[in-house]
Amino acid sequence: MVMTAAISVENLTKSYGDHAVLKGVSFEVERGEIFALLGVNGAGKTTTLECIEGLKSRDGGKIQLNGAAGIQLQSSSLPAHIKCAEAVRMFALWNGGRANKQYISALGIDKLAKKQYGALSEGQKRRLHLALALVRDPDILFLDEPTAGLDVEGRVSLHALIRELKNQGKTIILASHDMTEVEQLCDRIAVLREGVIAFGGTVEQLARAVGRTNNVRVTTTGGQYVRKTRAVANEIMTMLGECAARGEEVLAVNTDRGTLEEHFIALSGGVQ
């Protein structure tokens, strides 16, 4: 049988003692797409990823990966005295090749070559671990909170690299608490809730699944007022009338369909 998906997960189950964490998780990640797996603490997101990555055994179900994988864990560590260049060379030797200079440069690791691991900031460590995950030039890349600890410039740079990796045909599965990041980068998402997939699809499909409620924001000399509504025009007229009755000057009126985080909370049954 020819496998078309980069990752296929079918009826994945996992329990810790009497506590069932995964109760039949199934989804596929297509080749060359950026896929996000989301879930509140305790939903089974980390366990699912660790089972797919081979870091944790599963109780039941099937997992198939079509290609070599690179993994950037949320919590990783190296010896404090190892230098960045030494770590890259060591990982390259383990994987029987040379590190891709493009990735090393794009992540700024070349500028940190002589710096010891223990002296790196959290953001620099995140970049180094991503560079190490890319050493073997994997077909599939697992990224767990890839921009945690990065400044704005670092985030923009990393997002550009992730998009470039996608353009090169790599499959990326992303776990992130940054809803804006997910919304900007991902082709599709899956939302885990209590050990099962509560939703799978695009960001736009998620918005449709939870309804078309819009936020109306009216900023005045007296403050900002926010209401949720499906009848945007009527709500704007009502709010403007109320502001006039209070004698407040209207400075701005804005509307939006809500954030991915709001939609995610509606499906996942909790907050991040």
Side-chain angles (χ1 to χ4, degrees):
M1 177 178 174
V2 178
M3 181 181 173
T4 59
I7 302 171
S8 178
V9 179
E10 182 180 350
N11 199 31
L12 179 63
T13 59
K14 177 68 177 180
S15 297
Y16 298 107
D18 295 330
H19 177 52
V21 178
L22 304 180
K23 306 172 185 177
V25 173
S26 299
F27 62 89
E28 288 190 344
V29 182
E30 299 300 324
R31 294 176 181 175
E33 77 171 340
I34 303 177
F35 183 93
L37 185 62
L38 308 178
V40 298
N41 291 334
K45 175 189 64 178
T46 298
T47 299
T48 299
L49 288 178
E50 289 178 343
C51 287
I52 298 172
E53 293 162 351
L55 301 176
K56 188 164 289 183
S57 62
R58 62 185 183 274
D59 295 336
K62 297 179 180 179
I63 298 173
Q64 290 181 291
L65 269 68
N66 185 24
I71 304 170
Q72 182 208 34
L73 299 175
Q74 183 177 359
S75 298
S76 302
S77 185
L78 292 170
H81 297 295
I82 193 172
K83 295 178 181 178
C84 291
E86 293 171 339
V88 171
R89 285 197 298 271
M90 180 176 65
F91 271 69
L93 286 172
W94 282 346
N95 288 280
R98 290 186 175 184
N100 188 307
K101 292 183 178 180
Q102 176 191 355
Y103 300 150
I104 298 300
S105 176
L107 290 165
I109 305 303
D110 50 348
K111 299 176 183 177
L112 302 173
K114 297 181 179 179
K115 198 166 184 178
Q116 293 182 334
Y117 183 80
L120 299 178
S121 67
E122 286 305 310
Q124 289 170 336
K125 289 178 180 178
R126 301 297 295 166
R127 293 196 318 236
L128 174 60
H129 285 292
L130 177 54
L132 298 179
L134 287 166
V135 158
R136 68 185 300 193
D137 198 19
D139 305 298
I140 303 168
L141 187 61
F142 293 89
L143 303 179
D144 197 348
E145 302 292 343
T147 58
L150 294 183
D151 57 20
V152 174
E153 183 179 357
R155 288 167 60 86
V156 171
S157 176
L158 183 54
H159 284 181
L161 176 59
I162 290 174
R163 293 188 182 97
E164 176 59 27
L165 292 170
K166 170 184 166 63
N167 291 337
Q168 293 175 13
K170 296 189 185 302
T171 302
I172 300 169
I173 182 165
L174 173 73
S176 175
H177 282 75
D178 188 332
M179 296 299 104
T180 300
E181 179 171 80
V182 171
E183 200 164 19
Q184 290 175 348
L185 291 176
C186 296
D187 300 300
R188 292 190 304 124
I189 62 176
V191 178
L192 270 169
R193 180 177 183 179
E194 297 179 353
V196 297
I197 299 293
F199 171 84
T202 65
V203 173
E204 181 63 22
Q205 287 170 335
L206 174 58
R208 290 201 296 267
V210 297
R212 280 293 182 181
T213 301
N214 287 267
N215 297 323
V216 177
R217 293 180 173 83
V218 177
T219 305
T220 75
T221 51
Q224 185 180 85
Y225 306 93
V226 182
R227 291 182 187 170
K228 294 182 180 296
T229 182
R230 291 178 180 270
V232 175
N234 289 341
E235 192 62 44
I236 289 175
M237 295 304 296
T238 298
M239 294 175 72
L240 291 179
E242 292 172 352
C243 292
R246 291 192 296 267
E248 298 177 2
E249 179 184 355
V250 175
L251 303 177
V253 177
N254 303 100
T255 64
D256 61 69
R257 64 177 176 79
T259 65
L260 176 59
E261 182 173 20
E262 292 170 333
H263 302 317
F264 170 63
I265 290 172
L267 283 175
S268 65
V271 295
Q272 293 283 355

